[in-house]
Amino acid sequence: YSDTLEKMQEFTAQRTSHTSDEVWFLEHEPVYTYGIKTTKDDIPENTQLPVLKSDRGGKITFHGHGQLVVYPLLDLKRRSIQAREFISKFQDAIHRSLRGYQSNLKINNDDPGIYCENKKLVSFGLKITKKGTYHGASINVSMDLTPWNEVTICGNDQTEAIDLKKLGCNNSLNEIRQSVQKNLAEGFK
């Protein structure tokens, strides 16, 4: 995770008006990361997993095997898109991608994510600078959900994590990635 964070920061810092936009798809080793709104009380004390500070929005989250992470590195100025419009388009693209696998998913803007009832399937945490965007979304596809039990998910102790597999979707990470890639391309033409 640390290497990816550093690469995203470097990419964004070195971006020029001619730098092509990119979307990175990956899967992190098991790690907790916390954003700028995390308090000391949100951080697990006795975990065996690394806990790393991030410069994204949001609170603490878990990344691990079986989770598709989507990092859009876009120049909003060149695209003439305001931050709120970008966030909305990004969330909508992820939502459209997943509705094909599970129809009753909802975007929650109060606790940024995509939910199936009160269970969180997708977490959003973004960083938007004058030079561009980075960080993004993590989609629980088929993962061990146990580490989620060590944290208060995004600061809400009523929230539980879920993955697509528990919702009856047996599609691979690669199939989900292709769907997200297609919808992001359509949403950010």
Side-chain angles (χ1 to χ4, degrees):
Y1 179 85
S2 296
D3 290 343
T4 302
L5 174 57
E6 188 176 312
K7 288 175 185 173
M8 285 190 294
Q9 291 169 332
E10 285 175 12
F11 179 91
T12 302
Q14 296 170 5
R15 178 186 277 285
T16 70
S17 60
H18 303 292
T19 304
S20 295
D21 289 337
E22 296 184 8
V23 179
W24 297 357
F25 295 93
L26 53 133
E27 201 177 349
H28 288 302
E29 292 295 318
V31 63
Y32 291 110
T33 68
Y34 61 96
I36 58 176
K37 294 185 178 183
T38 304
T39 66
K40 192 169 72 168
D41 295 337
D42 296 328
I43 299 172
E45 293 181 17
N46 298 315
T47 181
Q48 299 299 310
L49 297 175
V51 180
L52 302 173
K53 185 176 182 178
S54 176
D55 60 348
R56 64 168 168 74
K59 295 199 175 203
I60 195 159
T61 195
F62 170 70
H63 296 298
H65 302 288
Q67 182 186 69
L68 178 64
V69 180
V70 183
Y71 290 144
L73 292 96
L74 307 180
D75 181 339
L76 299 186
K77 185 177 179 181
R78 183 176 57 228
R79 290 174 173 272
S80 299
I81 298 175
Q82 296 296 317
R84 286 189 193 279
E85 181 184 2
F86 160 70
I87 293 167
S88 178
K89 284 184 168 195
F90 181 59
Q91 289 177 331
D92 287 345
I94 302 291
H95 188 230
R96 276 193 317 276
S97 301
L98 300 178
R99 275 195 325 237
Y101 305 105
Q102 180 56 245
S103 61
N104 63 338
L105 300 177
K106 303 270 188 259
I107 295 174
N108 182 341
N109 290 313
D110 295 330
D111 186 5
I114 297 176
Y115 290 77
C116 180
E117 298 171 8
N118 68 331
K119 296 183 180 180
K120 195 165 197 173
L121 178 67
V122 179
S123 298
F124 293 104
L126 295 157
K127 176 73 174 180
I128 300 174
T129 71
K130 290 182 180 180
K131 287 200 155 197
T133 67
Y134 59 103
H135 291 294
S138 53
I139 304 166
N140 301 337
V141 178
S142 177
M143 63 187 307
D144 175 8
L145 297 170
T146 307
W148 286 104
N149 297 331
E150 289 190 43
V151 296
T152 301
I153 299 171
C154 298
N156 184 341
D157 61 4
Q158 300 301 306
T159 303
E160 296 177 42
I162 191 121
D163 62 11
L164 286 170
K165 185 172 185 174
K166 290 218 179 342
L167 294 173
C169 173
N170 292 312
N171 296 73
S172 70
L173 225 64
N174 191 47
E175 289 170 303
I176 304 298
R177 180 192 59 76
Q178 288 173 0
S179 178
V180 170
Q181 196 169 16
K182 174 184 167 285
N183 282 295
L184 284 173
E186 288 174 4
F188 291 99
K189 287 181 186 177

